[in-house]
Amino acid sequence: MPDYQDDNFEWNIEKSDDRMRRSGFDFHAAKRIFKSDRFVERYDDVHSTNQEDHIIATGMLGPVYISVVYVERGTRKRIISAFEADDDDITDYMVTYAIIE
């Protein structure tokens, strides 16, 4: 599987292209939530293994809340998946940034 890689991120290009077809945004767009420094993270205990911790980061991509699943690979975040955030992740984000109480 071919991969994309820069100084801070990496991912599988086919997965990114699939996300674009299904949701209208790819991993290039999804990584922007990390540039804003306004995102929340939680540990993904369902998909984490003894070898890798999966983290779900939720932030805003334009007017849409998205969640990005990633693992740390050295100095990079390897994006595994990205999708529109669910209600619980949106609520966590809104509470963290005092949008709601």
Side-chain angles (χ1 to χ4, degrees), residues 48-75:
S48 293
T49 66
N50 290 337
Q51 291 80 29
E52 285 189 318
D53 293 330
H54 286 220
I55 307 297
I56 301 172
T58 300
M60 294 196 72
L61 181 60
V64 178
Y65 290 96
I66 68 165
S67 292
V68 178
V69 180
Y70 73 91
V71 297
E72 294 286 345
R73 295 271 174 90
T75 61

CSV table of all heavy atoms in Angstrom, one decimal, residues 48-75:
chain,number,residue,atom,x,y,z
A,48,SER,N,-7.0,0.0,20.4
A,48,SER,CA,-5.6,0.0,20.8
A,48,SER,C,-5.2,-1.5,21.1
A,48,SER,O,-6.0,-2.3,21.4
A,48,SER,CB,-5.4,0.8,22.0
A,48,SER,OG,-5.7,2.2,21.7
A,49,THR,N,-3.9,-1.7,20.9
A,49,THR,CA,-3.3,-3.0,21.1
A,49,THR,C,-2.1,-2.9,22.1
A,49,THR,O,-1.8,-1.8,22.5
A,49,THR,CB,-2.8,-3.7,19.8
A,49,THR,OG1,-1.7,-2.9,19.3
A,49,THR,CG2,-3.9,-3.7,18.8
A,50,ASN,N,-1.5,-4.0,22.4
A,50,ASN,CA,-0.3,-3.9,23.3
A,50,ASN,C,0.8,-3.2,22.5
A,50,ASN,O,1.7,-2.7,23.1
A,50,ASN,CB,0.2,-5.3,23.6
A,50,ASN,CG,-0.8,-6.0,24.7
A,50,ASN,OD1,-1.5,-5.3,25.4
A,50,ASN,ND2,-0.8,-7.3,24.7
A,51,GLN,N,0.8,-3.2,21.2
A,51,GLN,CA,1.8,-2.6,20.4
A,51,GLN,C,1.6,-1.1,20.1
A,51,GLN,O,2.5,-0.4,19.9
A,51,GLN,CB,2.0,-3.4,19.1
A,51,GLN,CG,2.6,-4.7,19.2
A,51,GLN,CD,1.6,-5.8,19.6
A,51,GLN,OE1,0.4,-5.7,19.3
A,51,GLN,NE2,2.0,-6.8,20.4
A,52,GLU,N,0.3,-0.7,19.9
A,52,GLU,CA,0.0,0.6,19.5
A,52,GLU,C,-1.2,1.2,20.3
A,52,GLU,O,-2.2,0.5,20.4
A,52,GLU,CB,-0.3,0.7,18.0
A,52,GLU,CG,0.9,0.6,17.1
A,52,GLU,CD,0.5,0.9,15.7
A,52,GLU,OE1,-0.5,0.4,15.2
A,52,GLU,OE2,1.4,1.6,15.1
A,53,ASP,N,-1.1,2.4,20.7
A,53,ASP,CA,-2.2,3.1,21.3
A,53,ASP,C,-2.9,4.0,20.2
A,53,ASP,O,-2.3,4.8,19.5
A,53,ASP,CB,-1.7,4.1,22.4
A,53,ASP,CG,-1.2,3.4,23.6
A,53,ASP,OD1,-1.6,2.3,23.9
A,53,ASP,OD2,-0.3,3.9,24.3
A,54,HIS,N,-4.2,3.7,20.0
A,54,HIS,CA,-4.9,4.5,19.1
A,54,HIS,C,-5.6,5.7,19.8
A,54,HIS,O,-6.1,5.5,20.9
A,54,HIS,CB,-6.1,3.7,18.4
A,54,HIS,CG,-5.6,2.7,17.4
A,54,HIS,ND1,-6.2,2.5,16.3
A,54,HIS,CD2,-4.5,1.9,17.4
A,54,HIS,CE1,-5.6,1.6,15.5
A,54,HIS,NE2,-4.5,1.2,16.2
A,55,ILE,N,-5.5,6.9,19.3
A,55,ILE,CA,-6.0,8.1,19.8
A,55,ILE,C,-7.0,8.7,18.9
A,55,ILE,O,-6.8,8.7,17.7
A,55,ILE,CB,-4.9,9.1,20.1
A,55,ILE,CG1,-3.7,8.6,20.9
A,55,ILE,CG2,-5.5,10.4,20.7
A,55,ILE,CD1,-4.1,8.1,22.3
A,56,ILE,N,-8.1,9.2,19.4
A,56,ILE,CA,-9.1,9.8,18.6
A,56,ILE,C,-9.1,11.3,19.0
A,56,ILE,O,-9.3,11.7,20.1
A,56,ILE,CB,-10.5,9.3,18.9
A,56,ILE,CG1,-10.6,7.8,18.6
A,56,ILE,CG2,-11.6,10.0,18.0
A,56,ILE,CD1,-11.8,7.1,18.9
A,57,ALA,N,-8.8,12.1,18.0
A,57,ALA,CA,-8.8,13.6,18.1
A,57,ALA,C,-10.0,14.2,17.4
A,57,ALA,O,-10.3,13.8,16.3
A,57,ALA,CB,-7.5,14.2,17.5
A,58,THR,N,-10.7,15.1,18.1
A,58,THR,CA,-11.9,15.7,17.5
A,58,THR,C,-11.7,17.2,17.5
A,58,THR,O,-11.3,17.8,18.5
A,58,THR,CB,-13.2,15.4,18.4
A,58,THR,OG1,-13.3,13.9,18.4
A,58,THR,CG2,-14.4,16.0,17.8
A,59,GLY,N,-12.0,17.8,16.3
A,59,GLY,CA,-11.9,19.2,16.1
A,59,GLY,C,-12.8,19.6,15.0
A,59,GLY,O,-13.6,18.8,14.5
A,60,MET,N,-12.6,20.9,14.6
A,60,MET,CA,-13.5,21.4,13.5
A,60,MET,C,-12.7,21.5,12.2
A,60,MET,O,-11.6,21.9,12.2
A,60,MET,CB,-14.0,22.7,13.9
A,60,MET,CG,-15.0,22.6,15.1
A,60,MET,SD,-16.0,24.1,15.3
A,60,MET,CE,-17.1,23.9,13.9
A,61,LEU,N,-13.4,21.1,11.2
A,61,LEU,CA,-12.9,21.2,9.8
A,61,LEU,C,-13.9,22.1,9.1
A,61,LEU,O,-15.0,21.6,8.7
A,61,LEU,CB,-12.7,19.9,9.1
A,61,LEU,CG,-12.2,19.9,7.7
A,61,LEU,CD1,-10.8,20.5,7.6
A,61,LEU,CD2,-12.2,18.5,7.1
A,62,GLY,N,-13.6,23.4,9.0
A,62,GLY,CA,-14.7,24.3,8.6
A,62,GLY,C,-15.8,24.3,9.6
A,62,GLY,O,-15.6,24.4,10.8
A,63,PRO,N,-17.0,24.1,9.1
A,63,PRO,CA,-18.2,24.1,10.0
A,63,PRO,C,-18.5,22.7,10.5
A,63,PRO,O,-19.5,22.5,11.3
A,63,PRO,CB,-19.3,24.6,9.1
A,63,PRO,CG,-19.0,24.1,7.8
A,63,PRO,CD,-17.4,24.2,7.7
A,64,VAL,N,-17.7,21.7,10.2
A,64,VAL,CA,-18.0,20.3,10.5
A,64,VAL,C,-17.1,19.8,11.6
A,64,VAL,O,-15.9,20.0,11.6
A,64,VAL,CB,-17.9,19.4,9.3
A,64,VAL,CG1,-18.2,18.0,9.6
A,64,VAL,CG2,-18.8,19.9,8.2
A,65,TYR,N,-17.6,19.1,12.6
A,65,TYR,CA,-16.8,18.4,13.6
A,65,TYR,C,-16.4,17.1,13.0
A,65,TYR,O,-17.2,16.3,12.5
A,65,TYR,CB,-17.6,18.2,14.9
A,65,TYR,CG,-17.9,19.4,15.7
A,65,TYR,CD1,-19.2,20.0,15.5
A,65,TYR,CD2,-17.0,19.9,16.6
A,65,TYR,CE1,-19.5,21.1,16.2
A,65,TYR,CE2,-17.4,21.1,17.3
A,65,TYR,CZ,-18.6,21.7,17.1
A,65,TYR,OH,-18.9,22.8,17.8
A,66,ILE,N,-15.0,16.8,13.1
A,66,ILE,CA,-14.5,15.6,12.6
A,66,ILE,C,-13.7,14.9,13.7
A,66,ILE,O,-13.2,15.6,14.6
A,66,ILE,CB,-13.7,15.7,11.3
A,66,ILE,CG1,-12.4,16.4,11.5
A,66,ILE,CG2,-14.6,16.3,10.2
A,66,ILE,CD1,-11.5,16.2,10.3
A,67,SER,N,-13.6,13.6,13.6
A,67,SER,CA,-12.7,12.8,14.5
A,67,SER,C,-11.7,12.2,13.6
A,67,SER,O,-12.0,11.6,12.5
A,67,SER,CB,-13.5,11.8,15.3
A,67,SER,OG,-14.3,12.4,16.2
A,68,VAL,N,-10.4,12.2,14.1
A,68,VAL,CA,-9.3,11.6,13.4
A,68,VAL,C,-8.6,10.6,14.3
A,68,VAL,O,-8.3,10.9,15.4
A,68,VAL,CB,-8.2,12.7,13.0
A,68,VAL,CG1,-7.0,12.1,12.3
A,68,VAL,CG2,-8.9,13.8,12.2
A,69,VAL,N,-8.6,9.4,13.8
A,69,VAL,CA,-7.9,8.3,14.6
A,69,VAL,C,-6.5,8.2,14.1
A,69,VAL,O,-6.2,8.2,12.9
A,69,VAL,CB,-8.6,6.9,14.3
A,69,VAL,CG1,-7.9,5.8,15.1
A,69,VAL,CG2,-10.1,7.0,14.7
A,70,TYR,N,-5.5,8.2,15.1
A,70,TYR,CA,-4.1,8.1,14.7
A,70,TYR,C,-3.3,7.3,15.8
A,70,TYR,O,-3.8,7.1,16.9
A,70,TYR,CB,-3.5,9.5,14.6
A,70,TYR,CG,-3.3,10.3,15.9
A,70,TYR,CD1,-2.1,10.2,16.6
A,70,TYR,CD2,-4.3,11.1,16.4
A,70,TYR,CE1,-1.9,10.9,17.7
A,70,TYR,CE2,-4.2,11.8,17.6
A,70,TYR,CZ,-3.0,11.7,18.3
A,70,TYR,OH,-2.8,12.3,19.4
A,71,VAL,N,-2.1,7.0,15.4
A,71,VAL,CA,-1.2,6.3,16.3
A,71,VAL,C,0.1,7.1,16.1
A,71,VAL,O,0.4,7.7,15.1
A,71,VAL,CB,-0.9,4.8,16.0
A,71,VAL,CG1,-2.2,4.0,16.2
A,71,VAL,CG2,-0.4,4.6,14.6
A,72,GLU,N,0.9,7.1,17.2
A,72,GLU,CA,2.2,7.8,17.1
A,72,GLU,C,3.2,6.9,16.5
A,72,GLU,O,3.3,5.7,16.9
A,72,GLU,CB,2.7,8.2,18.6
A,72,GLU,CG,1.9,9.2,19.2
A,72,GLU,CD,2.1,10.6,18.7
A,72,GLU,OE1,3.0,10.9,18.0
A,72,GLU,OE2,1.2,11.5,19.0
A,73,ARG,N,4.0,7.3,15.5
A,73,ARG,CA,5.0,6.6,14.9
A,73,ARG,C,6.3,7.5,14.9
A,73,ARG,O,6.5,8.3,14.0
A,73,ARG,CB,4.7,6.3,13.4
A,73,ARG,CG,3.5,5.3,13.3
A,73,ARG,CD,4.0,3.8,13.3
A,73,ARG,NE,2.9,2.9,13.3
A,73,ARG,CZ,2.3,2.4,12.2
A,73,ARG,NH1,2.7,2.7,11.0
A,73,ARG,NH2,1.4,1.5,12.3
A,74,GLY,N,7.0,7.3,15.9
A,74,GLY,CA,8.2,8.2,16.1
A,74,GLY,C,7.7,9.6,16.3
A,74,GLY,O,6.9,9.9,17.2
A,75,THR,N,8.2,10.5,15.4
A,75,THR,CA,7.8,11.9,15.6
A,75,THR,C,6.5,12.3,14.8
A,75,THR,O,6.1,13.4,14.8
A,75,THR,CB,8.9,12.9,15.1
A,75,THR,OG1,9.2,12.6,13.7
A,75,THR,CG2,10.2,12.7,15.9
